């Protein structure tokens, strides 16, 4: 069998909510444009048929492109917007689902099918048609979050589709603590803490980093000190396993932490997509005064994946501690 082509292996990814919107235009000229928007083309209502074709096109993406993963789509919306100034029909295709891979190809297939249908129904009255500027407007989901096309979006497009990025932590004081006897003794380099710091800094947070030995102390005392200094968010890595020196959960509770059970449950549930050993983790989340503490496993990979899982909730959690509502 040839190795020239292969479908991407997405088994190691976790399913996340995915959304993509594609856009393109049919340029028809003044007379054909009028016939389209006045719904008097000889073959019938091109705008309605284009929306139906766009739905079908999005659902058939995997049949059209051999290396495209078949996906169970949860939403397909096609919108045809007349643009009189250019004598054009601007077509949007919005696709969403929860999956291990994105839906940008489905959105592009839907927009293209709608545009081709407009072309097919319009060509009896005007053969000099053109399909232009088919592109991805934006996509959401996965570990990279929101991506916007460099060409940008209009105010109307932004208001209609409301692209969502991870809520930011601009200016929020954060702390990352690695629990490791070897790192604290200088026998090994800390690789987990920098992963956490990078993830928090990407959200705009002000992050300090330190290393402590395993055990209940000095972590318990340090957490109380950080809470007293006004730190709002502390992410720890290490000490959440079953080993005799894995005492991070106990340190959090002995510091008077009030458990935030959902965060720890979500971490384990989502981590199962990366490893079947996720259920052995004693990852924990607590509130100590006005500081949220999230305890993640100690490996760099687990720290990176853990931040991918919890990052979307951190800004809202901090806001809730300040009295904001759940919405």
């Amino acid at each position: 069998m040839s190795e020239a082509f292969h479908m991407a292996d997405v088994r190691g990814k976790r399913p996340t909510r995915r959304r993509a919107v594609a856009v393109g235009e049919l340029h028809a000229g003044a007379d054909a444009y009028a016939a389209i928007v006045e719904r008097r083309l000889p073959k019938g209502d091109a705008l309605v048929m284009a929306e139906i074709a766009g739905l079908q096109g999005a659902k058939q993406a995997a049949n059209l492109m051999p290396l495209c993963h078949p996906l169970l789509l949860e939403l397909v919306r096609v919108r045809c917007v007349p643009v009189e100034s250019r004598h054009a029909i601007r077509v949007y295709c919005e696709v969403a689902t929860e999956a291990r891979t994105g839906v940008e190809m489905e959105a592009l297939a839907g927009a293209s099918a709608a545009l081709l249908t407009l072309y097919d129904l319009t060509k009896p009255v005007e053969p000099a048609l053109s399909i232009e500027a088919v592109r991805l407007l934006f996509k959401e989901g996965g570990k990279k979050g929101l991506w916007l096309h460099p060409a940008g979006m209009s105010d109307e497009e932004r208001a209609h589709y409301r692209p969502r990025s991870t809520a930011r932590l601009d200016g929020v004081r954060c702390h990352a603590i690695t629990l490791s006897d070897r790192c604290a003794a200088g026998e090994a380099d800390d690789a987990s803490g920098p992963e956490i710091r990078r993830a928090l800094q990407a959200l705009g947070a002000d992050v300090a980093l330190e290393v402590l030995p395993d055990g209940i102390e000095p972590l318990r005392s340090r957490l109380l000190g950080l809470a007293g200094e006004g730190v709002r968010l502390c992410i720890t890595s290490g000490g959440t396993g079953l080993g005799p020196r894995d005492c991070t959960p106990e340190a959090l509770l002995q510091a008077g932490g009030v458990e935030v059970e959902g965060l720890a449950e979500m971490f384990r549930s989502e981590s199962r997509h990366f490893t079947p050993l996720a259920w052995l983790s004693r990852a924990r989340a607590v509130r100590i005064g006005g500081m949220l503490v999230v305890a993640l496993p100690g490996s760099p990979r687990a720290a990176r994946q853990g931040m991918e899982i919890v990052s979307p909730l951190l800004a809202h959690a901090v806001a809730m501690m300040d009295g904001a509502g759940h919405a």
Side-chain angles (χ1 to χ4, degrees):
M1 180 178 176
S2 172
E3 295 295 330
F5 307 101
H6 66 277
M7 180 179 285
D9 186 352
V10 298
R11 292 174 297 173
K13 296 183 177 182
R14 66 185 181 96
T16 63
R17 290 185 176 184
R18 310 277 187 154
R19 185 167 68 123
V21 176
V23 65
E25 289 188 355
L26 175 83
H27 289 247
D31 293 340
Y33 171 82
I36 294 171
V37 298
E38 294 169 11
R39 303 174 192 269
R40 53 180 175 81
L41 288 171
K43 287 187 178 181
D45 191 333
L47 296 176
V48 171
M49 188 56 66
E51 292 184 4
I52 296 171
L55 293 170
Q56 288 294 95
K59 292 188 291 184
Q60 294 297 318
N63 292 331
L64 297 171
M65 290 162 279
L67 303 184
C68 189
H69 292 81
L71 296 176
L72 181 63
L73 303 182
E74 297 174 357
L75 169 73
V76 180
R77 287 197 185 113
V78 180
R79 193 165 63 108
C80 297
V81 180
V83 184
E84 186 175 5
S85 62
R86 297 194 294 274
H87 297 136
I89 306 298
R90 191 165 175 84
V91 173
Y92 297 90
C93 182
E94 176 185 13
V95 180
T97 194
E98 184 168 332
R100 289 182 167 88
T101 188
V103 290
E104 54 266 39
M105 297 312 300
E106 287 73 13
L108 287 163
S112 298
L115 288 164
L116 287 169
T117 297
L118 285 173
Y119 193 112
D120 179 49
L121 271 66
T122 307
K123 62 182 173 61
V125 301
E126 175 56 81
L129 303 168
S130 64
I131 292 173
E132 301 181 14
V134 179
R135 63 180 174 89
L136 191 66
L137 199 61
F138 71 87
K139 62 177 181 175
E140 299 169 347
K143 65 181 181 180
K144 295 181 180 178
L146 175 65
W147 179 88
L148 298 170
H149 194 283
M153 301 172 62
S154 69
D155 291 341
E156 188 277 334
E157 290 168 340
R158 191 174 292 275
H160 186 90
Y161 291 109
R162 299 182 181 276
R164 295 180 290 270
S165 59
T166 300
R168 294 182 60 78
L169 293 164
D170 292 319
V172 175
R173 287 189 62 193
C174 299
H175 210 83
I177 301 177
T178 298
L179 284 306
S180 168
D181 288 332
R182 294 185 66 232
C183 290
E187 299 172 358
D189 293 330
D190 174 24
S192 299
E195 291 283 356
I196 294 171
R197 180 170 57 187
R198 276 191 289 271
L200 292 172
Q201 287 177 336
L203 297 177
D206 178 13
V207 189
L209 178 62
E210 68 176 299
V211 177
L212 295 177
D214 287 307
I216 294 175
E217 291 290 351
L219 177 59
R220 183 195 69 85
S221 300
R222 186 62 177 131
L223 291 174
L224 289 172
L226 292 172
E229 295 168 12
V231 172
R232 306 306 314 283
L233 178 63
C234 180
I235 310 292
T236 71
S237 62
T240 61
L242 300 176
R245 293 281 289 164
D246 290 332
C247 302
T248 297
E250 288 74 20
L252 270 57
L253 295 180
Q254 290 192 27
V258 177
E259 290 203 71
V260 185
E261 293 92 342
L263 272 175
E265 292 167 4
M266 182 186 73
F267 170 78
R268 277 184 284 275
S269 178
E270 292 296 305
S271 294
R272 81 188 193 281
H273 297 293
F274 299 129
T275 171
L277 302 179
W279 302 110
L280 296 177
S281 171
R282 295 198 302 139
R284 213 165 201 131
V286 302
R287 176 177 56 82
I288 301 175
M291 179 176 71
L292 176 67
V293 184
V294 181
L296 300 176
S299 76
R301 181 182 177 188
R304 180 174 61 256
Q305 293 170 343
M307 291 304 296
E308 291 174 11
I309 293 168
V310 303
S311 284
L313 299 180
L314 295 179
H316 190 61
V318 172
M320 288 179 65
M321 290 191 296
D322 289 335
H326 290 271

